[in-house]
Amino acid sequence: MTELPFIILGFAVLLHVVFVSITIGTGWISAYSRLMAYLKKDSELERVSRSAFRILVVFELFSGVWGTIITVVLAGFFPTLIALATNVLFAPLLIALISIMIRIPSIAAFWYTWGRIDPRVHSAIGLLMAISGFLIPFGFRTLFSEINSPTALGQFLSSGLADPFAAYLSGLFWVLYLHSIFASLSVGGFVVAYLMAEEGHEKGVRIGYRYGLGFLLLQIPVGAVHWILLGSRSQYIFEAITYGSFMPVLVLKVLAVLTLLSLGLKGYLEGKSVFAKYSAFLSLLAVFLGELMNDGSRYPFMVVITEGGIPISSFANFYIEIPMAAVYVILGFLLLSILVFLSALFYALFRRFLSEPI
Amino acid sequence: MVNVDSLLPLSAFGVYCHAVFISITLGFPPAIMALLFKYMKTKDEEYFRTAKTMTWVLSLNFALGAITGTLVEFGLVQAWPGTIIAIASFAFVPLALELLAFANEIAFLVLFIVTLGKIRTSRSIAILAVYWIFAVLSGVLITAVNSWLVAPWGTGEVPSALYPFMPDFGENSVDVQKLVAIKIIALASGLPLQAIIQNPEVAEKVGVILEDPYVALYNPYAAASAFHNISAAVLVGLSIALLAFSVGWQKKKEERFLKAVRVVSPLVLVVFLIQPTVFGHLMGESVVGYNPTKFAMMEGAHQTLYSPLLSFVAYGDPNRPIPGFDELKKRCEEHGGKRLDDLALSVGLDRDAIIGIAGSLGVNLDRSRTEEVLDTKLRDLCLSDLSRAEEKTEILHYAYYTKIFFGILGFLSAIALFAALRTVPVLSKVVKGILGERAVFLLSVGIMLGSTVPSALGWYVREVGRKPWTVYGLLYPDELVSVFEPARSGGFALFMALVIASVVFSGLLAMYIVATRGRKSEELSGGDEND
């Protein structure tokens, strides 16, 4: 019985990736806008920075919670995979862990020192926050690239040893990483554009669109290179998404990206804020579909090795009979937490509860 | 044997750092709820403002608790990956349930923060109460996991088969043959468990090792620990708040601080009346029942003790002796000439079977080393591990009694503070007469010391008291540690300790700034920064 754990893991990963694409993107936009606001003495950029930061703050902890959930799901349902990863990918996972430890305090420091310390120092804290955000996937994405096309894992499986940084020798990792970062910045831009449109801040909308469109245009060729690389390094996934069961997802993703591009361009060129809502939704949909393809198309393998792989069951938990009653209760309560969080999100961003003086 | 000397202190440091934030996570909400309740009743804005400031500190603290929690969790699977087999079996249910608590905890906290002051106060209190319930549930479940390490419920007679002085840990729910095989393979290979469990298909080949996945929740040690540890954390959190308000009152003499002290101090008193007495006694009974070596260490009992008072508290029988290490060693002699080989054979594992199983799990055992391990006399193993435990007796004994001393100090301070703030015949006069105007401040310091020192030392006693094992009577730390050699180096431990210390120091500093300059957290308005 490995299907349900695989679905639960997939659900947690999808939710986490969608949330963190917002936080990583808005983190950079906030930090960079803050720096530019200081350098150019531009109060409107300052407002963009604050709005982007407000989005980040609301999403950050909840997205982090789902990261923790992934860890527990992996350890509980796929103990062999986590035992292997903590050995073979020790160094990359450590990079991610240290980055998390820098990221959250730097968010707090950025927030609480706003306007109270030298703007240059404040901007530096913001940049630390943004860069630590980029470094988290720099660690964790190695796991995704390794299970798509093993490099470090390959070394280990063939010789019993692996270089601690071998995962970074994989070309697929770098393309996947760049694609993830560009997607985050693009999503961050479109989400900021949406919030600024809600607040009637025209310049903010244009800045958001610029990020959204600029990084979408960078993301498209990187995505194509990723697809081509999968064709030579991870044929099983390539075939599943190109001709197989995940082809509809690929088609949907391409459609979502093209629609996003045209809507975004129209919104930006014609100055139509009304499109910002759809652009934000489509950008998140594109991330969702992309991750769904990347993670789901490996089924029934956990680690894909060219045209075959190591089945999910090889990593699954057989040490106990999984108590399904507990699993269903947990899923129910996790859904409750999502509903509560969405309510909080609504109040924080759209009713502007978080933004008003207390 | 693999060296774990640098990783053990690092893990302990990480856990202690996490504990600081956990205490605030659990202790601040009751104080905030009490302040909001007072505001609701009196309409005095100062209660609301204080509650608001505490909420900002709580939110920042939650972020830091989440980071250090991630660190502890990741540290567990990354530095001690052998524990993954326990996470996937005994700890599966509590950890999985903890997910729902954790996710809802943050969801309700965010909801509380963004709606505070915008909705009816009674609703805010209700939202915070739900958050707190999930926070407590999270703590209970994590404590259940830790308690399983201290008292491995469901392993029945397995530990006592190795160590005759050990009690039975409930009804046996484990596949003894498989557990013994894994243990012997780990010993014979000289490698940590990770070397076995990281091989694809191993879990499928090993199969079910635990029949009842809920067993960690039935652990009586977990129940006592949950009451004892959670209430201790609440107490520490409340004491931090109380001291902060008392310092404010002492320095500025502003009435708002004293008002807050008056609201928080009864909560402190109530928890102090129950925690060290009722819950402390429950915990003590569990230690007596399930951790014989720890009990002997706590009492400094190299030799069996005869103490009517202690025996009455421990057993309800003043004539019963407190077994010391001499008695425990005598129990080791019950093994006679039995070897590990005999134990393996008793569960149907001969030498060839063990080597065969190891091979099927991807571990190549050296026959002569395997035979050497199987020839180990159980008596020698038992005595050797007892000696390793006994080595820590002095430090544990003094730690335990220092904890007791500070607990009494805190208990008395809590009563005295109550008397100082209210009118208690005779006592109020005595307290005010002795301590004068500084009574609130000094007694808050006493409460702070009386909650934090026992908590820190209590955890030390709990964790060091189960050594030399990580899973009491079953597994050693070096069997659970990472196979990744650089992770076990002193340099790595020092580097990580510095990273953790920097993050924790920055976090505490930020919380101090928020607490002392409350309005600085309100700057996402896009308005004037100097509002």
Side-chain angles (χ1 to χ4, degrees), chain B residues 147-465:
Chain B
S147 297
W148 186 82
L149 301 177
V150 184
W153 202 252
T155 58
E157 297 173 359
V158 179
S160 61
L162 288 164
Y163 309 98
F165 53 81
M166 289 273 182
D168 290 352
F169 291 103
E171 279 187 33
N172 184 33
S173 289
V174 297
D175 187 321
V176 179
Q177 190 192 50
K178 286 174 184 169
L179 277 198
V180 171
I182 291 171
K183 172 87 182 178
I184 291 174
I185 291 168
L187 285 171
S189 67
L191 292 170
L193 273 176
Q194 187 183 21
I196 303 171
I197 63 169
Q198 69 181 351
N199 298 322
E201 296 176 14
V202 157
E204 200 167 3
K205 285 175 183 163
V206 170
V208 173
I209 57 170
L210 176 69
E211 293 295 334
D212 181 1
Y214 293 92
V215 74
L217 299 180
Y218 310 145
N219 188 351
Y221 201 98
S225 300
F227 283 119
H228 188 243
N229 295 3
I230 303 295
S231 57
V234 169
L235 195 53
V236 171
L238 285 169
S239 304
I240 292 170
L242 184 69
L243 182 65
F245 297 135
S246 300
V247 170
W249 167 244
Q250 182 68 24
K251 280 167 99 176
K252 299 181 182 171
K253 295 292 175 204
E254 289 176 15
E255 193 63 23
R256 63 190 171 108
F257 290 117
L258 192 59
K259 282 180 179 173
V261 169
R262 284 182 189 280
V263 171
V264 177
S265 64
L267 299 177
V268 171
L269 179 66
V270 168
V271 186
F272 243 126
L273 288 177
I274 303 169
Q275 202 276 338
T277 52
V278 180
F279 299 155
H281 182 68
L282 279 177
M283 190 71 256
E285 280 186 335
S286 293
V287 170
V288 170
Y290 298 109
N291 291 156
T293 50
K294 188 193 290 181
F295 186 39
M297 289 153 95
M298 281 159 58
E299 298 307 337
H302 293 287
Q303 305 298 323
T304 296
L305 288 178
Y306 294 89
S307 164
L309 177 64
L310 204 58
S311 294
F312 181 72
V313 173
Y315 304 113
D317 175 4
N319 299 315
R320 197 167 154 181
I322 307 287
F325 278 97
D326 57 339
E327 174 63 24
L328 303 182
K329 283 173 189 167
K330 269 188 216 160
R331 301 292 309 276
C332 290
E333 301 293 345
E334 290 172 15
H335 277 309
K338 270 198 265 178
R339 295 166 304 150
L340 197 53
D341 199 16
D342 298 315
L343 183 68
L345 282 171
S346 72
V347 293
L349 290 166
D350 63 22
R351 294 176 184 216
D352 289 335
I354 290 167
I355 290 171
I357 292 169
S360 73
L361 301 181
V363 180
N364 292 318
L365 291 186
D366 178 77
R367 182 169 279 274
S368 63
R369 186 182 157 86
T370 307
E371 291 185 350
E372 196 180 309
V373 165
L374 287 169
D375 283 337
T376 307
K377 284 190 173 169
L378 290 176
R379 172 188 165 279
D380 294 347
L381 179 78
C382 182
L383 288 173
S384 154
D385 286 346
L386 264 185
S387 297
R388 288 165 71 191
E390 194 176 4
E391 280 169 16
K392 295 181 167 56
T393 300
E394 267 63 43
I395 189 160
L396 213 81
H397 176 63
Y398 288 114
Y400 177 66
Y401 277 95
T402 308
K403 163 192 145 89
I404 298 290
F405 169 78
F406 276 95
I408 293 168
L409 173 72
F411 184 83
L412 295 176
S413 299
I415 294 171
L417 180 64
F418 186 79
L421 294 169
R422 285 170 175 74
T423 309
V424 179
V426 186
L427 192 56
S428 295
K429 269 191 178 177
V430 172
V431 171
K432 286 173 189 166
I434 296 172
L435 300 175
E437 283 192 356
R438 300 179 72 197
V440 170
F441 170 69
L442 290 174
L443 292 170
S444 297
V445 171
I447 289 170
M448 180 74 179
L449 290 172
S451 63
T452 51
V453 175
S455 291
L457 291 177
W459 191 257
Y460 178 85
V461 170
R462 182 182 175 92
E463 294 299 281
V464 177

Side-chain angles (χ1 to χ4, degrees), chain A residues 46 50 65 68 72 83 86-87 90 101 108 112 114-116 156 314 316-319 333 337 353 355-356 358, chain B residues 52 56 60 73 78 88 104 106 114 118 194 198 201 203 207-210 484 487 503 520-521 523 525 529:
Chain A
E46 173 92 357
R50 285 172 186 269
V65 165
T68 305
V72 176
T86 50
N87 175 15
F90 190 94
M101 291 171 66
Y112 291 114
W114 209 313
R116 304 289 158 181
F156 177 80
S314 297
N317 184 1
F318 290 94
Y319 298 123
F333 272 93
S337 78
F353 276 12
S355 65
E356 292 168 21
I358 300 152
Chain B
K52 193 106 205 178
W56 284 113
L60 183 53
E73 190 180 55
Q78 226 177 334
N104 281 284
I106 180 63
V114 300
K118 315 289 178 185
Q194 187 183 21
Q198 69 181 351
E201 296 176 14
V208 173
I209 57 170
L210 176 69
F484 186 68
V503 169
K520 288 186 176 47
S521 56
E523 290 183 0
S525 59
E529 288 175 0

Side-chain angles (χ1 to χ4, degrees), chain A residues 34 46-47 50 53-54 57-58 61-62 64-73 75-94 97-98 100-105 108-109 111-116 140 156-157 160 162 164 310-311 313-327 329-330 333-334 336-338 340-341 343-345 347-348 352-358, chain B residues 48 52 56-57 59-60 62-64 66-67 70-71 73-75 77-79 81 84-85 87-90 92-93 95-100 102-104 106-111 113-116 118-119 134 182 194 197-214 482-484 486-487 492 495-496 499-500 503 506-507 510 513-514 517 519-531:
Chain A
R34 171 70 180 110
E46 173 92 357
R47 190 171 159 194
R50 285 172 186 269
F53 187 68
R54 212 164 69 228
V57 164
V58 175
L61 275 181
F62 198 66
V65 165
W66 283 88
T68 305
I69 289 173
I70 291 169
T71 311
V72 176
V73 168
F77 287 117
F78 301 103
T80 310
L81 182 67
I82 198 104
L84 185 56
T86 50
N87 175 15
V88 177
L89 299 176
F90 190 94
L93 294 182
L94 189 66
L97 181 60
I98 292 173
I100 292 170
M101 291 171 66
I102 295 170
R103 165 86 168 175
I104 299 181
W111 186 351
Y112 291 114
T113 57
W114 209 313
R116 304 289 158 181
F140 283 137
F156 177 80
L157 291 173
I310 307 175
S313 60
S314 297
F315 298 95
N317 184 1
F318 290 94
Y319 298 123
I320 52 169
E321 294 282 347
I322 303 287
M324 296 314 296
V327 171
V329 168
I330 291 156
F333 272 93
L334 287 179
L336 170 71
S337 78
I338 295 170
V340 173
F341 174 71
S343 309
L345 189 71
Y347 283 120
R352 293 180 54 79
F353 276 12
L354 191 65
S355 65
E356 292 168 21
I358 300 152
Chain B
F48 183 79
K52 193 106 205 178
W56 284 113
V57 176
S59 64
L60 183 53
F62 189 90
L64 291 156
I67 302 165
T70 304
L71 171 83
E73 190 180 55
F74 242 90
V77 294
Q78 226 177 334
I84 290 170
I85 196 166
I87 293 173
S89 51
F90 293 92
F92 180 91
V93 169
L95 280 182
L97 288 171
E98 202 267 339
L99 287 183
L100 73 87
F102 187 40
N104 281 284
I106 180 63
F108 278 93
L109 180 62
V110 174
L111 186 64
I113 291 168
V114 300
T115 55
L116 181 60
K118 315 289 178 185
I119 59 175
F134 279 117
I182 291 171
Q194 187 183 21
I197 63 169
Q198 69 181 351
N199 298 322
E201 296 176 14
V202 157
E204 200 167 3
K205 285 175 183 163
V206 170
V208 173
I209 57 170
L210 176 69
E211 293 295 334
D212 181 1
Y214 293 92
S482 173
V483 293
F484 186 68
F492 172 76
F495 169 71
M496 283 308 294
V499 172
I500 297 166
V503 169
S506 318
I513 291 170
V514 175
R517 302 179 208 171
R519 289 184 179 277
K520 288 186 176 47
S521 56
E522 300 158 13
E523 290 183 0
L524 290 181
S525 59
D528 184 358
E529 288 175 0
N530 298 314
D531 279 352

